[in-house]
């Protein structure tokens, strides 16, 4: 008896399976980290073999990088431009993202774990996070420059420090929230901290730092 040939997957089926693998990888990497989370566990979550996962992503390192890209794309999925906005709207976007993150703990956990791991030697995501933070600091600096120019403020050092500080409070609050979500309101705490830093950079304590 001749065994029927397996029908090749159509592109939509392939895309759906890749999305399933990415979601499973977010869960596994988020709960166990990159080193301890295995492709076998990810494969089991989606009904594939280890080889099946490799068929879609080639390697564990490549899967990790695509998980991070998947996370980035989810941040701007609701934006018409599919890109982080420029200028003052950048800070409003960060606040909106913090409120959104409060609804997607798995993705936040994966990002937090992987970004922390990336400081270790030879971590496959190290270059990704180095470039990500550089790009985000540059976006923040541009936003501050626009807002300072509108108000006649000249403070290059405050812009540099404020840009790093905004990213730091967002990531730090995510850690606190993941550890104690009942007592840390991720959205509101992030909004408060971002507005405080914006106000400090602009040198105004009268509400000029509000981003809504």
């Amino acid at each position: 008896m001749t065994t029927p040939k397996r029908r090749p997957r159509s592109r939509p089926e392939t895309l759906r399976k890749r999305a399933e693998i990415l979601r499973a990888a977010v869960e596994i990497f988020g709960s166990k980290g990159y080193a301890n989370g295995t492709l076998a566990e990810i494969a089991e979550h989606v009904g594939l073999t280890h080889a099946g996962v490799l068929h879609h992503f080639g390697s564990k390192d490549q899967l990790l990088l695509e998980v991070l890209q998947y996370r980035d794309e989810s941040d701007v999925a609701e934006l018409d431009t599919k890109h982080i906005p420029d200028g003052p709207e950048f800070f409003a976007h960060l606040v909106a993202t913090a409120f959104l993150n409060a609804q997607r703990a798995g993705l936040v956990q994966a990002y937090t774990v992987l970004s922390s791991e990336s400081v270790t030697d030879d971590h496959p995501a190290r270059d990704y996070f180095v470039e990500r933070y550089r790009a985000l600091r540059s976006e923040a600096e541009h936003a501050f420059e626009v807002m300072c120019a509108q108000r006649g403020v000249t403070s290059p050092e405050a812009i540099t420090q404020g840009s790093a500080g905004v990213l730091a409070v967002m990531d730090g609050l995510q850690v606190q929230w993941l550890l104690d979500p009942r007592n840390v309101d991720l959205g509101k705490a992030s909004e408060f901290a971002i507005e405080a830093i914006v106000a400090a950079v602009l040198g105004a304590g009268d509400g000029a730092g509000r981003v809504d």
Side-chain angles (χ1 to χ4, degrees):
M1 179 177 178
T2 303
T3 303
K5 291 184 178 181
R6 183 180 177 183
R7 183 173 61 87
R9 282 197 182 102
S10 65
R11 181 169 177 79
E13 290 174 328
T14 299
L15 292 176
R16 280 195 295 273
K17 182 56 69 174
R18 282 175 61 85
E20 288 179 21
I21 295 170
L22 287 171
R23 288 192 292 269
V26 166
E27 180 179 343
I28 296 299
F29 291 157
S31 61
K32 297 189 174 183
Y34 174 77
N36 293 326
T38 68
L39 291 183
E41 290 174 291
I42 295 168
E44 184 178 354
H45 269 59
V46 296
L48 290 176
T49 63
H50 179 283
V53 173
L54 291 178
H55 170 74
H56 285 281
F57 290 94
S59 69
K60 186 180 180 183
D61 285 2
Q62 183 60 35
L63 174 58
L64 170 63
L65 295 177
E66 296 207 33
V67 163
L68 293 170
Q69 181 180 351
Y70 168 76
R71 187 267 180 196
D72 287 346
E73 290 173 351
S74 70
D75 275 357
V76 295
E78 302 302 318
L79 301 179
D80 291 339
T81 61
K82 300 296 186 280
H83 183 272
I84 295 175
D86 297 324
E89 291 79 11
F90 173 80
F91 298 109
H93 170 72
L94 294 185
V95 170
T97 298
F99 279 97
L100 174 62
N101 283 344
Q103 308 301 319
R104 50 181 192 177
L107 206 57
V108 173
Q109 183 178 14
Y111 177 84
T112 300
V113 170
L114 294 170
S115 62
S116 298
E117 286 184 340
S118 73
V119 303
T120 59
D121 293 340
D122 300 321
H123 193 279
R126 185 181 182 92
D127 289 345
Y128 164 86
F129 280 105
V130 168
E131 292 305 317
R132 174 177 174 78
Y133 279 115
R134 283 177 180 167
L136 287 172
R137 286 196 302 271
S138 178
E139 294 269 8
E141 287 172 2
H142 172 66
F144 275 130
E145 287 166 357
V146 170
M147 297 175 76
C148 286
Q150 291 173 346
R151 293 163 176 77
V153 175
T154 302
S155 185
E157 183 177 356
I159 287 174
T160 298
Q161 304 307 329
S163 298
V166 163
L167 304 182
V169 297
M170 288 197 71
D171 288 355
L173 283 168
Q174 286 181 168
V175 173
Q176 292 186 52
W177 173 71
L178 288 167
L179 293 171
D180 194 6
R182 290 187 177 182
N183 292 309
V184 178
D185 188 317
L186 182 61
K188 290 182 179 179
S190 298
E191 182 176 36
F192 179 89
I194 290 170
E195 289 184 352
I197 293 173
V198 170
V201 171
L202 295 177
D206 57 359
R210 292 200 60 81
V211 296
D212 56 1

